[in-house]
């Protein structure tokens, strides 16, 4: 007999993942290695040690170990806010009059308001274990900075955050949350770093970018004794930590014998999408199962749908390693959109490779349509979603409507990565019908592609 | 053998309350009846029908029925965000090095960010059932208005919110959340009502008060066809709906054989505290058990600790019924403090009677000490608490520290009513050490008491 499926599926403590899943172990085509920006040769562990903690470097470079144990201290921290619920969207289904079954994995039930905490605690833990005093990082919309501040407060580590200036000014409350957790927050570009001063001189009055804040955080780390740099997305290690999302989702589905047909996630740098889909793509790679995997990105920053699969710099200042990824060019500045977490020019090398090899598809959506979906979702499901997450909602609703038309009873799972409490300026613009949709022209993208570095391996 | 107590106790769906508990049924001294502001005679159901829905009036006046079934539609809505977790504050205990065991019932895991949703959905449901078009209400800090907007959006009811002007201006994001849920939000006092125009004429430039917004919302309701007025605290019906908090808490504690020694809650109008403690006080009233119950209020608005137990008006405009309660006088305007939900001049008649009869004690705390507790809690427990909730945290920490000194292993339960995402201005003031503590002088209170109406029943 089929078990009755509750509104929210919560796993018991003993059902929670004890290991992260490293999808690279099952990939035939491994993601391309990071390159040293000076020599354009693959980065060695020794070279990475200038920037990252030792154990995180191991995880970054490990293409072979399928399961990596989660340290007990991290499991204990996870208990503070995990398991996150897998919610059956009964109310949304009814509203849409769809035969589709919709589930969402909700990662917003913690003060950082998003899934970012999953990797923040891991990275902070390894920094602490290595005896460091603190970490430096950048943040755009502020979700990552908040998550890292929380993790550092918990472990007693210092945390220095470079926050993209436009967000620093437009989101004073995000900044205040980080300060409440004891972090130092500096608007970027700043005059506290060489790269910041250079960018300020070249672009007076600039409101900053994520690529620029990364450059500053990396430089700050190299000049401080006892500090390392940490990053909230794109990297292999981050996707690894985030697999706790997908593993929990898979366990919850299996507990009730639910087989999803499609899995949908928003994609900025890839941290949430990669974490959610890795365990499912693992089954595809091993030939055990088949799923439709959909990455959703903003039409204003379409790295998968319109970018090039090429080596590119990860940051604007070109001080970081190069990665082979779908990219719009490291100088690409997306037009103002309200999904600050989806404004990165590149995409996780793992996801880029999987996309290139046909394991997932990608769609781009415009922000007015995204906020329409967000509002519709909020009114029936009760949760006010982050603009980033709402990209996934948009496509989930589109697919559910298709099911209504075809009569198919598909099972749709999407990642609801976070809440929108700090995004009310954006909701206000939508409520006032003042939201713009801007899509870069082919000419703009060509111009941006022309700055891609030439790499001959 | 003692069952292992998880970090978070979640009840299963079939363990959730099916009935609300009406503590009045077990009270020997019933709360005094509401009085008609014109005749100063007890309000009849017929008189109340001008303002409230029929079934809510029944609940308001019912002093005898101990258990009232929760309609299935409300139970279904509750499933969207309930059960709320009862969390063992292991990390806080460790930080405080206390032998006390601390638990908190966390009501902030929904978009309204607080417990207010428990009564909002009930009141909206009965309005819908009665065939109404919509409801009017007031909101101070915005938690109640947000909750009601969510409930109305879900049921397809119109929602008109009068928001205290100072909050409307200082909390534009709260306003935007309500608009996202489809509500109309008007800053109060406004020129849309007679009482608003009168108050504006008498006090030009006033930034409003809750009592004034109540007067406007009630007037608006009487002039609109198909609308009733709803209120988020103070009333007997609200405390009844909020008992879902206490009933869940009790069930979760009993599931693990935990016997609390003390139960602590913040007290503004009494909705959260009353809901949390009612089932426990019921045991005390029936002579089955003994608990230490502590109400915590701001020193700047000390209705229980320094107020008078007397009949008073519930609103500034004196259009609402009078209630017998601990009150500071309906003209009392608390000094600026950041716990907007705890700025009401009076207190629930039920809680007032119970306090008067010795079933609970009360403490007042100053806001700098409250934010110190809030920050300490956030850093170890991960949740950013609302300023209101942090009053309970302050006393829970104080009591846990006492246990450290005496070595007593007391079990402390407190209500964590909500999150502070929309209160970052307040946290900023605390972070910048710009927070003021102001306590009204005896002279100020005497002046305010002199406006209490004379009532001879």
């Amino acid at each position: 007999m089929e078990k009755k499926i509750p509104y929210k599926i919560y796993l018991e403590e003993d059902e929670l993942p004890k290991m992260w899943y490293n999808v690279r172990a099952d990939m035939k085509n491994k993601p391309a290695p990071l390159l040293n920006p000076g020599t354009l040769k693959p980065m060695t562990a020794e070279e990475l040690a200038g920037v990252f903690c030792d154990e995180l470097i191991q995880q970054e470079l490990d293409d072979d170990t399928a399961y990596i144990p989660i340290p007990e201290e991290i499991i204990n921290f996870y208990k503070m806010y995990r398991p996150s619920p897998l919610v059956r969207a009964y109310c949304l289904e009814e509203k849409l009059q769809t035969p589709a079954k919709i589930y969402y994995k909700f990662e917003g039930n913690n003060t950082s308001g998003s899934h970012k905490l999953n990797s923040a605690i891991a990275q902070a833990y390894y920094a602490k274990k290595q005896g460091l005093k603190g970490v430096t990082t950048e943040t755009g919309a502020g979700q990552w900075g908040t998550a890292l501040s929380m993790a550092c407060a918990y472990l007693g580590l210092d945390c220095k955050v470079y926050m993209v200036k436009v967000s620093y000014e437009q989101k004073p409350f995000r900044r205040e949350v980080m300060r409440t957790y004891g972090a130092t927050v500096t608007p970027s570009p700043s005059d506290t770093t060489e790269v910041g001063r250079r960018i300020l001189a070249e672009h007076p009055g600039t409101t900053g970018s994520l690529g620029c804040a990364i450059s500053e955080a990396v430089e700050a780390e190299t000049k401080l004794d006892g500090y390392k740099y940490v990053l909230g997305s794109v990297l292999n290690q981050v996707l690894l930590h985030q697999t706790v999302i997908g593993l929990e989702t898979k366990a919850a589905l299996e507990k009730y014998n639910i087989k999803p047909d499609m899995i949908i996630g928003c994609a900025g740098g890839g941290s949430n999408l990669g974490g959610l889909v890795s365990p499912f793509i693992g089954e595809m790679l091993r030939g055990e199962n088949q799923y439709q995997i959909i990455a959703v990105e903003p039409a204003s920053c379409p790295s998968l749908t319109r970018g090039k699969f090429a080596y590119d710099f990860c940051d604007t200042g070109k001080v970081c390693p190069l990665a082979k990824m779908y990219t719009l060019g490291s100088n690409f500045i997306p037009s103002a959109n309200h999904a600050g977490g989806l404004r990165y020019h590149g995409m996780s090398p793992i996801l880029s490779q999987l996309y290139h090899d046909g394991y997932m598809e990608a769609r781009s959506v415009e922000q007015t349509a995204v906020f329409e979906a967000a509002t519709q979702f909020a009114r029936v499901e009760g949760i006010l979603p982050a603009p980033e997450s709402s990209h996934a909602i948009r496509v989930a609703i589109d697919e559910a409507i298709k099911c209504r038309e075809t009569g198919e009873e598909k099972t749709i799972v999407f990642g609801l990565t976070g809440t929108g409490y700090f995004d009310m300026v954006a909701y206000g613009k939508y409520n006032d019908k003042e939201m713009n949709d801007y899509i870069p022209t082919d000419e703009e993208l060509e111009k941006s592609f022309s700055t891609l570095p030439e790499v001959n391996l």
Side-chain angles (χ1 to χ4, degrees), chain A residues 32-60:
Chain A
L34 297 173
L35 300 187
N36 183 311
T39 64
L40 297 185
K41 298 277 180 253
M43 292 287 285
T44 62
E46 293 68 36
E47 288 171 337
L48 286 169
V51 180
F52 295 125
C53 299
D54 298 343
E55 257 181 279
L56 291 168
I57 294 168
Q58 267 184 40
Q59 294 178 359
E60 190 64 31

Side-chain angles (χ1 to χ4, degrees), chain A residues 360-376:
Chain A
M360 56 186 222
E361 55 193 272
R363 301 205 192 147
S364 74
V365 289
E366 296 179 33
Q367 65 178 352
T368 301
V370 165
F371 277 84
E372 189 193 350
T375 302
Q376 188 171 22

Side-chain angles (χ1 to χ4, degrees), chain A residues 320-440:
Chain A
C320 291
L322 285 75
K324 189 174 178 192
M325 57 186 177
Y326 280 85
T327 178
L328 298 163
S330 65
N331 287 328
F332 180 79
I333 306 280
S335 70
N337 77 46
H338 295 291
L342 306 181
R343 289 169 53 84
Y344 187 62
H345 65 275
M347 179 59 64
S348 137
I350 293 176
L351 288 183
S352 293
Q353 188 65 50
L354 289 168
Y355 177 63
H356 188 72
D357 292 345
Y359 289 97
M360 56 186 222
E361 55 193 272
R363 301 205 192 147
S364 74
V365 289
E366 296 179 33
Q367 65 178 352
T368 301
V370 165
F371 277 84
E372 189 193 350
T375 302
Q376 188 171 22
F377 179 84
R379 291 186 182 186
V380 291
E381 289 292 321
I383 295 167
L384 189 82
E388 291 82 358
S389 326
S390 304
H391 286 67
I393 299 175
R394 175 72 272 165
V395 171
I397 289 179
D398 291 345
E399 290 294 326
I401 290 172
K402 275 189 217 163
C403 287
R404 180 176 69 203
E405 287 157 8
T406 62
E408 287 175 290
E409 293 185 20
K410 285 189 182 173
T411 296
I412 300 170
V413 173
F414 72 88
L416 188 71
T417 55
T419 49
Y421 304 119
F422 295 103
D423 300 286
M424 293 321 296
V425 169
Y427 274 95
K429 284 220 188 307
Y430 173 75
N431 291 335
D432 292 333
K433 303 195 192 332
E434 288 174 2
M435 189 155 267
N436 297 316
D437 291 319
Y438 183 79
I439 303 176

